[in-house]
Amino acid sequence: MSIRFQALENLSNKKNVEVGSPNKTTSFFASNVFTVQVAREFLSDEAYKSLKASIKAGMKIDRNMASQIANGMRAWAETKGVTHFTHWFQPLTGTTAEKHDSFFTLKSDGTAIEEFDGAALIQQEPDASSFPSGGLRATFEARGYTAWDPSSPPFVIEIGNGKTLCIPTIFVSYTGESLDYKAPLLKATEALSKAATEVCHYFDKNVGKVNVTLGWEQEYFVIDEAFYNARPDLVMTGRTVFGSGSAKNQQLEDHYFGSIPERVYAYMRDFENESYKLGIPLRTRHNEVAPAQFECAPIFEEVSVAVDHNSLLMDVMDRVARRHNLRVLLHEKPFAGINGSGKHNNWSMATDTGVNLLAPGKTPKTNLMFLTFFVNTIKAVHDYADVLRASIASAPNDHRLGANEAPPAIISVFIGQYLSKVLTDVKERVTSKMDETDESLLKIDIHKSIPELLMDNTDRNRTSPFAFTGNKFEFRAVGSSANCANPMTVLNTIMAATLKQFKSEVDALIEKGEKKEIAIMHVIREYIVKSEKVLFEGDGYSEAWEKEAVKRGLPNVKTTPLALDAMVTKKAMALFEGNGIYSHQELEARHEIELEKYIKKVQIESRVMAELATSQVLPAAIRYQNTLANNVRGLKEAGLTEKSFKVHRELLEKISTHISKVSEAVEKMTEARKACNNMDNTRDKAIGYQTKVKDAFFDEIRYHVDKLELLVDDNEWSLPKYREMLFLR
Ligand code: ADP
Ligand code: MG
């Protein structure tokens, strides 16, 4: 029996894995996190104060204190049965990395003890050679190290009975270049905090710091593990490279907000409980539009912690799914013809005085502050749309962006009718002649009904890649498998750059003698005029918008190899170097790494396609072809007329055509891959893989394979079908 039929047969025997119902979430929330409260309990006054100071200032731990802190941390971890520790980091491969060391050690006299010294807490040297560095380590130093980032608290990961203390770290080379996603994010967040604080001082001198907030929404698919195992393409690439749509896809839209299937529900509760222990504040769960698709979202947090939590959640989801004999698919487009998955990044800024800078205010003064940050965001997205586009570019996201069910590759901003009107008012009413006597103009009427209106879903647009949703912007073009750090680094950097520019322009007007509020209004007006072409309220999935975007001169780069160009333009170099985020070399290195990732992904998909076609699809088709051929021959021999086996013959012809098309294309694709592999320049190679391998053959091969799936005897077909993977649990 084929693995597909075994999977089908076993499905009905699958029981829900029991998930205990713990007490209230609050009774175990963050129980596996070394929180500030835990630190208070396990550290000396001195060590505690030092740790708190480092957290507050975002600084490295004082070396003299490190051993005390490490001892306290070990004491706490041992109460939880922890035996090992690891530096946990987010390398550019896109997963997370750990290297476990035990507390256990032998002293020189042979005594066995448990130990965690300060040096091991604050710095480690993982074998960095296996992580991508885009040539950086070769050019500079051979080694890299991980260093504890105290702004993110240590936590305990439980895998079965094994428990490991994880120290969140950044990963850098000895000469200081970032080798991970986290270090640049911290720099960019700091840059934005500084620039935003200075702008806040126009309105409120008490603001000491601005925090960046992120609330992500994670979409994912869940399927039975046995089906997953019977699909080598899912195992190797995360998506199905073949598969004919089932008779019922999502036309009925009955899945969205429908009741959650029981097995998946048990899985959700289980991974939620694991997440709660790790301090991930998950809040919502629901079905998504596509069958077998779901979403979860936490309460928003400070951006670096939110990023860690999302990375951690993706690990937890994957691990817990296996306990339930399920598999979670985080790929952006696991199934063709069915909605893909995204990771909406809800982003805002909040002052240490507790004001959300993207929430409309209640007084004219707070409104002007809101308008300032709101318009600066639009300007930032307008000016750096290409860089923002590059930040979400990846091979899997190419399947989703612009696929008529996901935000297009054109970066535009949706702000809703009401705020559009406000911007128009500002544009029309603020004039160069405006002076203090016109101060009533400043009270542009946005505070009355705006919050209610914005919160109302009717004024929402779900087709925009970057939408204002009442008190935050939602960057929707981020892919479901992506690390949020990269898009957040870029968003924070472009916002920091724009706010700095804004401040210098306002200051220049003030110096010329304009009153502060008037000067701010003038610059805001200018920014609206300069960036309004990025605003779009209509249907972002429509063809009309693509045409309109061309007229407006907005970039629409559909493929990753080309989208990534924006990382290494003069403008990008000035942006990132000017704000201290990436050096010239770091940008070049990252560009190289992203291109290499793209090449590898397409290469693997192409290989898997060829292998599946040759070893599973064609043999099944040929077996069926034989059956049909024998049948026709038999009928003929029995003396029946042509007419009586006409249908069989036509079917035989169709199948034969598809068989030869598949095998020809597979052969040519393999040749094309070889040609690409001989290219030296990474960018050329990536473009080669995209145009000469992916675009030239993927759809073509898939078309014929999917036709065969519909023609060949179901009993012969070894790959689980869409209807099985998507509807059976
Ligand atoms: P939806 O977009 O699905 O309608 P919500 O608007 O309720 O859902 O919120 C979506 C996400 O936005 C949540 O993850 C939430 O934490 C996040 N969010 C809400 N306020 C902020 C904020 N000020 N900064 C960042 N994220 C926020
Ligand atoms: Mg949303």
Side-chain angles (χ1 to χ4, degrees):
M1 188 164 45
S2 83
I3 176 167
R4 169 177 163 223
F5 286 98
Q6 281 174 35
L8 278 168
E9 191 170 280
N10 291 340
L11 198 64
S12 44
N13 302 329
K14 292 244 163 93
K15 297 243 161 47
N16 292 342
V17 175
E18 285 303 319
V19 180
S21 3
N23 306 328
K24 280 189 189 157
T25 304
T26 45
S27 70
F28 64 103
F29 184 74
S31 58
N32 279 351
V33 184
F34 190 75
T35 58
V36 174
Q37 290 83 338
V38 174
R40 174 70 282 198
E41 195 181 324
F42 282 84
L43 298 184
S44 69
D45 282 354
E46 203 187 8
Y48 174 72
K49 268 193 204 133
S50 159
L51 174 62
K52 277 218 42 175
S54 294
I55 294 173
K56 189 150 179 257
M59 271 172 9
K60 280 192 183 170
I61 293 288
D62 177 359
R63 276 189 178 263
N64 301 323
M65 276 304 138
S67 281
Q68 280 201 39
I69 297 174
N71 274 331
M73 224 178 258
R74 177 169 62 84
W76 167 74
E78 282 175 350
T79 65
K80 308 208 155 279
V82 171
T83 52
H84 286 64
F85 69 93
T86 180
H87 275 199
W88 181 84
F89 60 105
Q90 302 173 54
L92 297 170
T93 46
T95 50
T96 57
E98 312 160 3
K99 170 179 158 266
H100 297 195
D101 285 308
S102 65
F103 289 145
F104 166 82
T105 189
L106 291 178
K107 287 308 224 190
S108 51
D109 65 357
T111 330
I113 61 155
E114 310 274 343
E115 171 182 85
F116 184 33
D117 68 47
L121 166 65
I122 55 179
Q123 191 161 315
Q124 289 265 293
E125 216 172 293
D127 175 13
S129 57
S130 49
F131 296 108
S133 71
L136 268 183
R137 267 189 314 268
T139 335
F140 295 90
E141 259 270 16
R143 293 174 306 167
Y145 66 92
T146 53
W148 181 25
D149 156 28
S151 70
S152 192
F155 53 90
V156 170
I157 286 264
E158 300 177 30
I159 298 180
N161 288 325
K163 295 181 180 181
T164 306
L165 172 65
C166 297
I167 315 292
T169 56
I170 56 170
F171 182 31
V172 284
S173 78
Y174 268 91
T175 38
E177 285 83 17
S178 311
L179 296 174
D180 69 348
Y181 280 120
K182 198 63 192 300
L185 174 68
L186 295 175
K187 290 181 192 169
T189 308
E190 180 59 30
L192 173 52
S193 177
K194 228 175 122 216
T197 304
E198 286 187 7
V199 171
C200 280
H201 287 166
Y202 286 137
F203 310 97
D204 182 357
K205 291 278 179 215
N206 296 320
V207 173
K209 191 182 175 205
V210 169
N211 286 311
V212 180
T213 52
L214 165 64
W216 38 262
E217 299 163 61
Q218 176 76 52
E219 289 179 335
Y220 59 97
F221 281 82
V222 177
I223 67 166
D224 185 79
E225 184 171 47
F227 290 138
Y228 177 88
N229 289 337
R231 293 283 318 210
D233 47 357
L234 279 180
V235 175
M236 304 303 292
T237 73
R239 77 176 182 102
T240 53
V241 295
F242 301 136
S244 175
S246 61
K248 173 184 168 184
N249 276 342
Q250 60 194 52
Q251 301 90 332
L252 300 179
E253 304 210 328
D254 50 0
H255 187 63
Y256 196 58
F257 288 123
S259 65
I260 297 168
E262 209 169 311
R263 255 182 97 196
V264 177
Y265 183 59
Y267 162 60
M268 283 177 174
R269 286 192 16 226
D270 203 1
F271 86 67
E272 282 168 0
N273 288 342
E274 293 298 331
S275 303
Y276 290 144
K277 287 193 225 164
L278 292 164
I280 306 171
L282 289 180
R283 186 75 191 281
T284 55
R285 56 161 107 102
H286 62 78
N287 288 356
E288 265 302 322
V289 183
Q293 193 188 26
F294 307 90
E295 179 189 295
C296 65
I299 297 164
F300 67 91
E301 299 176 279
E302 191 281 314
V303 63
S304 85
V305 177
V307 164
D308 282 4
H309 280 168
N310 182 248
S311 290
L312 206 48
L313 175 91
M314 291 195 285
D315 287 350
V316 169
M317 286 174 88
D318 185 60
R319 211 154 11 86
V320 174
R322 292 162 200 243
R323 294 217 270 264
H324 294 255
N325 303 310
L326 295 168
R327 282 306 170 107
V328 63
L329 308 178
L330 294 169
H331 192 284
E332 281 72 359
K333 192 77 178 175
F335 303 100
I338 307 244
N339 274 9
S341 301
K343 172 150 43 203
H344 297 176
N345 279 205
N346 295 273
W347 169 91
S348 190
M349 294 150 288
T351 64
D352 56 355
T353 53
V355 177
N356 176 353
L357 293 171
L358 289 174
K362 291 207 164 54
T363 65
K365 194 167 133 193
T366 52
N367 262 328
L368 189 56
M369 178 149 98
F370 160 71
L371 208 54
T372 297
F373 284 93
F374 180 69
V375 170
N376 269 280
T377 311
I378 296 170
K379 177 83 165 27
V381 174
H382 169 271
D383 290 0
Y384 297 103
D386 59 337
V387 190
L388 210 50
R389 166 70 182 91
S391 78
I392 47 149
S394 69
N397 214 15
D398 279 4
H399 291 287
R400 189 176 77 100
L401 294 185
N404 299 321
E405 35 85 355
I410 309 159
I411 300 288
S412 66
V413 183
F414 170 86
I415 57 173
Q417 274 178 27
Y418 203 87
L419 282 165
S420 298
K421 169 118 191 352
V422 169
L423 296 195
T424 309
D425 282 354
V426 172
K427 222 171 71 179
E428 284 167 3
R429 285 156 61 186
V430 176
T431 63
S432 55
K433 286 189 250 39
M434 186 171 79
D435 62 26
E436 283 157 60
T437 55
D438 293 322
E439 246 189 83
S440 62
L441 281 183
L442 298 176
K443 301 187 177 113
I444 284 195
D445 184 28
I446 59 172
H447 57 284
K448 281 192 200 130
S449 46
I450 210 172
E452 298 81 61
L453 261 172
L454 288 169
M455 294 303 176
D456 178 3
N457 274 323
T458 54
D459 199 26
R460 284 209 176 185
N461 173 315
R462 303 221 166 254
T463 65
S464 173
F466 201 90
F468 185 69
T469 48
N471 55 4
K472 61 195 183 283
F473 277 97
E474 183 168 341
F475 190 16
R476 298 206 184 107
V478 184
S480 51
S481 69
N483 185 315
C484 314
N486 198 26
M488 288 296 105
T489 299
V490 170
L491 192 52
N492 292 349
T493 307
I494 63 177
M495 192 62 182
T498 306
L499 286 171
K500 274 201 224 167
Q501 175 73 21
F502 178 81
K503 172 120 188 358
S504 72
E505 288 179 34
V506 171
D507 285 351
L509 291 181
I510 294 174
E511 233 161 81
K512 276 196 203 152
E514 275 192 20
K515 192 167 176 263
K516 185 174 74 185
E517 280 79 7
I518 308 275
I520 290 172
M521 261 330 217
H522 277 149
V523 180
I524 286 181
R525 182 185 186 279
E526 187 198 319
Y527 279 19
I528 295 171
V529 172
K530 279 188 176 160
S531 53
E532 64 190 347
K533 77 169 194 282
V534 82
L535 298 175
F536 179 64
E537 301 290 301
D539 178 2
Y541 299 172
S542 69
E543 249 175 71
W545 170 228
E546 278 206 40
K547 291 201 185 116
E548 167 70 19
V550 174
K551 273 195 216 145
R552 294 192 192 183
L554 297 175
N556 180 8
V557 189
K558 292 189 177 175
T559 64
T560 292
L562 296 180
L564 293 174
D565 284 347
M567 293 173 74
V568 286
T569 58
K570 276 204 179 118
K571 188 175 85 178
M573 298 271 179
L575 167 74
F576 288 108
E577 261 183 336
N579 289 282
I581 316 302
Y582 293 123
S583 67
H584 199 280
Q585 291 90 331
E586 284 175 299
L587 274 178
E588 296 281 2
R590 264 159 213 263
H591 182 232
E592 185 86 4
I593 289 168
E594 291 302 327
L595 287 171
E596 275 166 9
K597 270 204 287 203
Y598 179 87
I599 293 167
K600 276 191 199 133
K601 291 227 156 124
V602 178
Q603 189 178 50
I604 293 171
E605 290 195 349
S606 165
R607 286 194 191 131
V608 167
M609 249 184 168
E611 192 197 317
L612 279 185
T614 317
S615 68
Q616 299 210 28
V617 173
L618 291 182
I622 290 166
R623 278 196 301 275
Y624 188 53
Q625 190 186 32
N626 277 335
T627 310
L628 287 173
N630 288 335
N631 186 257
V632 170
R633 200 178 309 121
L635 292 172
K636 216 178 195 170
E637 278 169 16
L640 278 100
T641 59
E642 281 277 323
K643 213 173 116 196
S644 57
F645 46 84
K646 185 167 167 270
V647 183
H648 307 58
R649 211 146 103 183
E650 277 168 10
L651 182 56
L652 192 53
E653 265 162 27
K654 269 193 205 162
I655 289 180
S656 306
T657 310
H658 292 306
I659 288 176
S660 43
K661 291 275 187 198
V662 170
S663 64
E664 275 164 32
V666 164
E667 207 159 299
K668 282 195 203 144
M669 179 172 73
T670 310
E671 288 305 313
R673 231 165 45 218
K674 279 187 195 145
C676 290
N677 290 343
N678 287 330
M679 296 182 181
D680 292 327
N681 177 288
T682 317
R683 181 174 177 271
D684 291 346
K685 193 165 161 181
I687 294 174
Y689 262 98
Q690 180 232 315
T691 55
K692 299 200 169 73
V693 178
K694 181 175 178 252
D695 294 355
F697 295 107
F698 281 18
D699 284 352
E700 158 91 1
I701 296 174
R702 181 172 191 140
Y703 173 81
H704 294 290
V705 169
D706 290 357
K707 284 283 176 208
L708 284 172
E709 182 185 324
L710 294 174
L711 297 174
V712 169
D713 180 358
D714 188 57
N715 284 313
E716 294 286 351
W717 203 259
S718 56
L719 295 170
K721 298 189 170 179
Y722 272 26
R723 61 164 187 265
E724 295 155 356
M725 290 185 282
L726 291 168
F727 292 99
L728 301 180
R729 278 178 285 264

